[in-house]
Amino acid sequence: MVVVVEQNASEKDIEGIIKTLQDFGFDVHRSTGVNQTVLGAIGVKPDFDTRQVEVLPGVARVYRITEPYKLASRTFKQEKTVIKFKNGLEIGGKAIVVMAGPCSVENENQIFTIAKHVAESGAKILRGGAFKPRTSPYAFQGLGEEGLKLMRRAADEFGLLVVTEAMDSTQIGLMEQYADIIQIGARNMQNYNFLKELGKSKKPVMLKRGLSATFEEWLMSAEYILSSGNKQVLLCERGIRTFETATRNTMDISAIPVIHSKSHLPIVADPSHGIGIRDKVIPMARAAVAAGADAIIVEVHHDPDRAKSDGAQSLFPEQFTEMMKQISVIAEAIGRTIA
Ligand code: PEP
Ligand code: MN
């Protein structure tokens, strides 16, 4: 941490700052220039609240140098994390993985029809919600365990893995039974007790970015899961809330290269929630692949006009096939492939 002292600070103020830093356990190095004094505070304290120093008399600015997260950072682990599944599929390697399916599992015919189509077009993982975090308590809440069973059967039938959302820790047991990846929704990104419980699971966890979460907050949430023992974490950019109202969310493509430089964890892009408008999903998927996403998750529905949730952002099956063709050209251009 670097503490810049105010130009008119008294010697008494400076000594007070040094004493406080030492009391917090930092080793303090003072450098006195003609007009400015700067203090270097050495010591690894990831949980230190810099405001404790900012409020001291004579302090102009405080800069944190090390990140508050450790296990999630590139400084701690240089090589990228690759998540490996028992069927040989990997996320985080050269090949980009596509996850596709409806927003919600609605019935047997729906999930089997969609699973067949996405598998034939090259998806490797079936998405679909059985427990749905809806803004309205009156909206369809998902089929619960019945939905998980249908999804597992459909995925097994067409050689796919399953990614599905758990909304609280009481559902982790069901996830262990039916899912291959546990999705944590944007609204739960900072549910810290839940994240700690997920840290005890053996299943990979896909942590979606909160609606207005900074990169640091998102990585701190990943840190909760990692530090509780689960090293298989994927981060998913799904759009953030901005001042723009023309789209449902603003898909933050910049998250992809920035997270790659800050963290070794694989990054998944969700252009469906990212923009929320069907005919803009494919361009966002192309952009995400070009920016370096390790996986893409998209909503696909065979009859989106009658979907129980997110029909307006769900691709028609033929659009999904077209998206697969387009992203494979982009993957090749950047030296990658589609798994
Ligand atoms: C979803 O994937 O359908 C979903 C509800 O996602 P999010 O948590 O990103 O809104
Ligand atoms: Mn959805």
Side-chain angles (χ1 to χ4, degrees):
M1 186 167 61
V2 172
V3 181
V4 180
V5 175
E6 278 174 357
Q7 291 203 1
N8 58 1
S10 66
E11 188 54 32
K12 189 165 160 273
D13 285 342
I14 300 176
E15 279 166 16
I17 302 166
I18 294 174
K19 169 87 175 46
T20 308
L21 288 169
Q22 287 169 338
D23 288 347
F24 279 122
F26 290 102
D27 218 356
V28 184
H29 298 256
R30 173 173 179 168
S31 82
T32 312
V34 186
N35 296 314
Q36 193 98 55
T37 295
V38 172
L39 305 172
I42 315 290
V44 182
K45 300 188 191 307
D47 62 344
F48 186 74
D49 183 351
T50 51
R51 290 175 307 165
Q52 301 261 52
V53 180
E54 276 160 19
V55 295
L56 297 175
V59 171
R61 284 229 170 84
V62 179
Y63 299 96
R64 186 188 270 287
I65 297 173
T66 48
E67 308 103 350
Y69 46 88
K70 177 174 169 249
L71 302 177
S73 84
R74 277 271 186 190
T75 327
F76 172 75
K77 182 172 177 276
Q78 293 281 305
E79 67 287 357
K80 262 183 83 173
T81 289
V82 178
I83 314 263
K84 299 187 167 108
F85 298 90
K86 48 184 185 309
N87 68 354
L89 187 73
E90 293 184 353
I91 304 182
K94 185 179 171 197
I96 299 161
V97 173
V98 176
M99 315 180 186
C103 179
S104 312
V105 183
E106 298 168 13
N107 56 58
E108 181 170 349
N109 177 52
Q110 176 241 20
I111 194 70
F112 274 75
T113 306
I114 299 169
K116 180 172 191 295
H117 184 88
V118 299
E120 284 171 359
S121 295
K124 292 288 178 282
I125 302 181
L126 181 64
R127 68 142 288 147
F131 298 102
K132 294 304 302 177
R134 305 303 300 279
T135 304
S136 165
Y138 308 114
F140 177 60
Q141 304 285 306
L143 296 180
E145 185 171 2
E146 184 52 30
L148 295 178
K149 285 185 185 161
L150 289 173
M151 227 187 144
R152 183 76 263 169
R153 273 180 41 222
D156 289 346
E157 172 92 15
F158 301 106
L160 300 166
L161 298 178
V162 167
V163 58
T164 192
E165 176 165 356
M167 282 175 58
D168 63 50
S169 37
T170 64
Q171 294 164 357
I172 297 176
L174 285 173
M175 296 292 142
E176 307 272 350
Q177 208 178 326
Y178 299 108
D180 298 294
I181 303 176
I182 310 176
Q183 172 175 326
I184 303 310
R187 294 155 191 81
N188 257 325
M189 190 204 83
Q190 286 180 313
N191 186 342
Y192 300 122
N193 283 340
F194 184 23
L195 299 178
K196 284 190 212 165
E197 288 302 315
L198 290 158
K200 297 180 197 155
S201 171
K202 298 270 178 297
K203 296 277 179 185
V205 173
M206 183 174 82
L207 180 66
K208 287 194 147 195
R209 182 181 183 181
L211 273 62
S212 58
T214 62
F215 296 147
E216 190 170 296
E217 288 164 339
W218 190 12
L219 290 167
M220 287 306 283
S221 290
E223 190 79 8
Y224 264 91
I225 305 172
L226 296 165
S227 63
S228 304
N230 188 345
K231 300 290 182 277
Q232 302 193 88
V233 177
L234 306 119
L235 297 165
C236 177
E237 163 60 38
R238 48 78 72 206
I240 49 172
R241 183 158 292 182
T242 67
F243 48 82
E244 184 52 70
T245 53
T247 51
R248 182 181 184 189
N249 291 301
T250 296
M251 175 91 185
D252 184 5
I253 297 288
S254 73
I256 301 165
V258 175
I259 292 292
H260 272 323
S261 61
K262 290 183 182 295
S263 177
H264 52 85
L265 298 172
I267 183 149
V268 183
D270 175 350
S272 306
H273 295 87
I275 194 153
I277 306 166
R278 181 184 303 134
D279 67 351
K280 311 284 186 299
V281 170
I282 298 180
M284 285 295 103
R286 292 197 303 255
V289 170
D294 296 301
I296 301 287
I297 183 166
V298 275
E299 290 181 339
V300 179
H301 202 290
H302 66 302
D303 187 8
D305 295 342
R306 269 178 278 275
K308 287 197 174 3
S309 59
D310 285 348
Q313 67 190 33
S314 299
L315 297 177
F316 284 103
E318 356 17 301
Q319 286 180 302
F320 176 70
T321 309
E322 179 57 28
M323 182 198 89
M324 292 300 287
K325 281 191 201 136
Q326 296 187 8
I327 63 171
S328 61
V329 177
I330 296 174
E332 199 186 324
I334 56 165
R336 296 185 80 172
T337 54
I338 303 290

